[in-house]
Amino acid sequence: MTLVLDTAAQDLLFREARTANTFTDEPVTDEQIQAIYDLVKYAPTAFNQQPLRIVLVRSAEGRERLVQHMAEGNRPKTAAAPLVAILAADNEFHEELPTQFPHFPQAKDVFFSERAVREQAAALNGSLQAGYFILGIRAAGLAAGPMTGFDAAGIDKEFFPEGDHSVLAVVNIGKPGTDSWFPTRSPRLAYDEVVTTV
């Protein structure tokens, strides 16, 4: 075999996994989310920076605050999903580098003293972590509905008023419901269209 991961796991994580637009009423527990995080926290990042921050929106009040900032087409599914996670990048992640990158604690000041540099690094590495988070949701037997159709400035002001975090994505989470996705999967580019060798 070319891949070590068995076929069932490949299907669960990749081939059969799709972005869900509807969900059942089955709740997503804190224990499930903790198990997901404990799996995906090992995502590779530069300097072992860990800028991803996750806000679980469970309350009706929190859901209402979020939905008002979603694009019109994303509002109904965000309002109805069993659980919604706001994924954000902590632009002050560098404060944790002395403990998270202990063999070079000076990295905090040597590389990340400027806010613009931190924001760029947080967006890139937080997005890597977000991708792993979506895979973790799939590994838990759940479906993810990640979205970037929202008013980012509005969400940042609503949920991160201190100004240190920037929203990356909003992810609906749960068991897929009726007519959760389009009948056929959207096409993907072929290997030869993407990969070159030099």
Side-chain angles (χ1 to χ4, degrees), residues 74-123:
N74 290 333
R75 290 179 181 177
K77 56 188 172 183
T78 304
L83 179 63
V84 183
I86 302 171
L87 307 186
D90 182 353
N91 297 306
E92 300 301 317
F93 69 87
H94 68 308
E95 296 294 348
E96 296 160 345
L97 287 181
T99 59
Q100 300 307 299
F101 200 61
H103 56 282
F104 185 32
Q106 306 92 320
K108 170 184 177 286
D109 299 312
V110 172
F111 295 105
F112 300 109
S113 61
E114 296 180 19
R115 171 75 181 216
V117 172
R118 292 197 304 275
E119 287 180 352
Q120 184 177 20

Side-chain angles (χ1 to χ4, degrees), residues 4-153:
V4 175
L5 201 63
D6 68 55
T7 302
Q10 293 172 33
D11 289 343
L12 178 70
L13 296 176
F14 300 101
R15 291 191 199 95
E16 294 179 7
R18 303 200 33 205
T19 297
N21 292 302
T22 67
F23 299 89
T24 68
D25 292 333
E26 185 177 331
V28 178
T29 67
D30 287 336
E31 291 77 16
Q32 287 174 298
I33 297 299
Q34 183 165 350
I36 290 166
Y37 178 75
D38 286 341
L39 179 65
V40 305
K41 66 184 178 184
Y42 299 107
T45 58
F47 296 96
N48 198 36
Q49 58 185 272
Q50 297 160 58
L52 182 67
R53 299 295 178 267
I54 303 167
V55 176
L56 301 178
V57 184
R58 289 196 180 278
S59 69
E61 179 265 342
R63 193 70 63 101
E64 188 175 313
R65 289 169 55 206
L66 174 61
V67 167
Q68 67 178 330
H69 298 293
M70 300 302 294
E72 191 68 37
N74 290 333
R75 290 179 181 177
K77 56 188 172 183
T78 304
L83 179 63
V84 183
I86 302 171
L87 307 186
D90 182 353
N91 297 306
E92 300 301 317
F93 69 87
H94 68 308
E95 296 294 348
E96 296 160 345
L97 287 181
T99 59
Q100 300 307 299
F101 200 61
H103 56 282
F104 185 32
Q106 306 92 320
K108 170 184 177 286
D109 299 312
V110 172
F111 295 105
F112 300 109
S113 61
E114 296 180 19
R115 171 75 181 216
V117 172
R118 292 197 304 275
E119 287 180 352
Q120 184 177 20
L124 173 60
N125 291 279
S127 294
L128 286 170
Q129 290 182 285
Y132 268 68
F133 182 71
I134 292 167
L135 282 175
I137 292 169
R138 294 173 173 182
L142 300 169
M147 301 167 288
T148 55
F150 48 72
D151 172 10

